[in-house]
Amino acid sequence: MDRSASNALRSVIKNLLVFIGIFALATLVCWGVSKIFDDNNPFATPMFILAVALVSRFTSGYGYGIIASVSGVLCVNYLFTYPFFEFNLTISGYPLTFAVMLLVSLLISTLTTQIKKQEKLRFEAEAEKMRANLLRAVSHDIRTPLASIMGSSSALLDNPDVPIEDRNELLKEINKDARWLVRMTENILSVTKFSGSDVALKKTEEVVEEIVSSAIVKFRRNYPEMPVSVHRPEQILLVPMDATLIEQVLINLFENVVMHAETATRITLSIQPQSDWVTFEVSDNGAGIPAAMLPKIFEGYHSINNQNTSDSRRNMGIGLSVCNSIIRAHGGTMHAYNNSEGGASFSFWLPYEEDSNGTAS
């Protein structure tokens, strides 16, 4: 079974469970009220109108709401209207009850469908904006390291008698620029992995501590001088995620401190479980983020300051834009803010569960 057929089946199962659960609850409530009243249950009709409204709201399309309308009228007529456990279609007001339930289901289903369409359009607009920002940032940022690699390699090729100290320095610069280009490529590949309209993240339950440890190990290979301390709870945390992407988010945030947090000497990662999600916070003790930059820090391109610089890697936008997109694709949110005691923090949260469509809830 392909992914689209699997998602369709899961959606049908979810809608059926919602329908059955809501109607079972409405029936139980009305049954309990019937024990209080010996004659017709006065609460049955409004209770099943509420059930129809809930079914229409939490299922997809119009079909389940219409079925709920018909089922609600039949339940009221058969179970909670005298003579009980018999159908009596001649009862006064019966057509009106059916019409009200049907109208409620159609109105709510229409509103829900429109809201979902608006959300989809908003998501597509944001994805298009992210791709445009990414291309703009890549075209700007990739030129300087490529020019540096070409210049350094040409100097080595054209001057075989370069002193060993100068040769090693040029090789270090080539290696540094090459590693930065690798990270840039990883960011671009991450965006293309989930930016398509028909692509869903493949999430599995992962141990948070293992993802964090792997990210720190990879970060320390390039920046061994920057210490990273972790504050986490004692219990093991299992969260559905794409492990590679979340690991990349953490590495990007760590590297952002090294590249842009002036005077920072340490990084602190705090992990805090909540009732429905896990919060991650990466903090530093640097100079903080300029106030004017905070509102647009995830937009995809901006320089760390207004001064011209020969090092285009001073641009922090692309990495943070990718981080934000990855977290949003997981159903979470990301925030940036300055700490009262100094330095800056980037926090994001991931939900413990995901819905039947494979997106986090």
Side-chain angles (χ1 to χ4, degrees):
M1 183 182 296
D2 60 23
R3 177 174 292 177
S4 60
S6 177
N7 288 340
L9 178 60
R10 292 163 65 183
S11 179
V12 170
I13 293 174
K14 174 199 170 184
N15 290 330
L16 287 175
L17 290 176
V18 169
F19 174 83
I20 294 171
I22 291 175
F23 260 70
L25 181 60
T27 303
L28 289 174
V29 171
C30 290
W31 191 268
V33 175
S34 296
K35 298 300 181 179
I36 302 175
F37 297 91
D38 294 331
D39 54 359
N40 288 0
N41 187 331
F43 299 103
T45 297
M47 179 59 67
F48 276 92
I49 290 178
L50 175 61
V52 170
L54 293 175
V55 169
S56 301
R57 168 62 182 84
F58 294 106
T59 56
S60 303
Y62 298 90
Y64 292 96
I66 295 174
I67 294 173
S69 302
V70 176
S71 302
V73 173
L74 295 178
C75 284
V76 172
N77 186 281
Y78 186 77
L79 296 176
F80 303 110
T81 303
Y82 185 84
F84 302 112
F85 301 105
E86 292 183 13
F87 287 111
N88 185 356
L89 304 184
T90 63
I91 298 175
S92 176
Y94 180 83
L96 179 61
T97 301
F98 173 75
V100 169
M101 287 189 178
L102 182 61
L103 181 61
V104 167
S105 71
L106 291 176
L107 286 176
I108 295 180
S109 296
T110 300
L111 290 174
T112 302
T113 301
Q114 290 178 347
I115 291 173
K116 289 180 178 179
K117 287 181 179 179
Q118 291 174 355
E119 286 293 317
K120 182 179 179 181
L121 290 175
R122 183 176 63 84
F123 176 80
E124 291 176 351
E126 290 181 352
E128 184 61 32
K129 180 180 178 181
M130 179 194 69
R131 286 191 287 268
N133 287 338
L134 180 64
L135 288 175
R136 181 175 59 180
V138 168
S139 64
H140 179 277
D141 285 7
I142 206 170
R143 288 177 296 182
T144 298
L146 285 176
S148 176
I149 291 174
M150 292 176 64
S152 298
S153 59
S154 296
L156 291 173
L157 291 173
D158 297 339
N159 301 281
D161 298 328
V162 173
I164 188 64
E165 295 82 3
D166 295 338
R167 177 180 294 272
N168 289 339
E169 190 64 30
L170 288 173
L171 289 173
K172 288 180 181 179
E173 286 299 316
I174 292 175
N175 181 263
K176 181 180 179 181
D177 288 321
R179 284 191 286 109
W180 185 87
L181 288 173
V182 169
R183 296 292 300 145
M184 172 73 78
T185 303
E186 289 174 351
N187 282 333
I188 296 172
L189 292 176
S190 295
V191 173
T192 59
K193 183 175 182 179
F194 59 83
S195 61
S197 58
D198 58 346
V199 177
L201 290 181
K202 185 177 181 180
K203 292 183 285 186
T204 57
E205 282 199 335
E206 302 286 348
V207 178
V208 169
E209 291 79 1
E210 293 181 357
I211 305 302
V212 170
S213 297
S214 178
I216 293 175
V217 168
K218 292 181 179 179
F219 169 72
R220 283 177 173 164
R221 290 175 185 170
N222 297 325
Y223 305 99
E225 70 285 354
M226 178 63 75
V228 180
S229 59
V230 180
H231 301 293
R232 60 179 180 83
E234 294 296 329
Q235 70 267 31
I236 296 176
L237 302 176
L238 290 173
V239 179
M241 66 174 75
D242 184 309
T244 301
L245 292 180
I246 297 302
E247 180 181 292
Q248 184 177 342
V249 167
L250 292 172
I251 294 174
N252 278 1
L253 293 178
F254 295 157
E255 291 186 347
N256 183 69
V257 174
V258 176
M259 299 294 294
H260 309 297
E262 297 179 6
T263 73
T265 59
R266 66 176 184 272
I267 299 173
T268 302
L269 171 61
S270 299
I271 306 170
Q272 184 64 44
Q274 307 292 336
S275 57
D276 298 319
W277 64 85
V278 176
T279 301
F280 300 75
E281 183 183 62
V282 176
S283 304
D284 62 71
N285 62 339
I289 304 170
M293 187 181 295
L294 279 173
K296 55 183 180 180
I297 199 165
F298 296 115
E299 289 184 1
Y301 176 79
H302 43 267
S303 296
I304 190 66
N305 51 48
N306 294 325
Q307 300 175 351
N308 294 327
T309 174
S310 61
D311 187 359
S312 67
R313 288 170 297 176
R314 295 299 290 174
N315 176 284
M316 71 163 71
I318 182 171
L320 295 180
S321 176
V322 170
C323 290
N324 187 45
S325 299
I326 290 173
I327 298 304
R328 287 176 63 86
H330 279 77
T333 58
M334 176 171 280
H335 303 281
Y337 44 88
N338 289 316
N339 305 319
S340 58
E341 66 276 12
S345 292
F346 290 86
S347 67
F348 63 90
W349 60 268
L350 297 176
Y352 276 122
E353 298 178 355
E354 57 182 351
D355 64 24
S356 61
N357 292 321
T359 58
S361 62

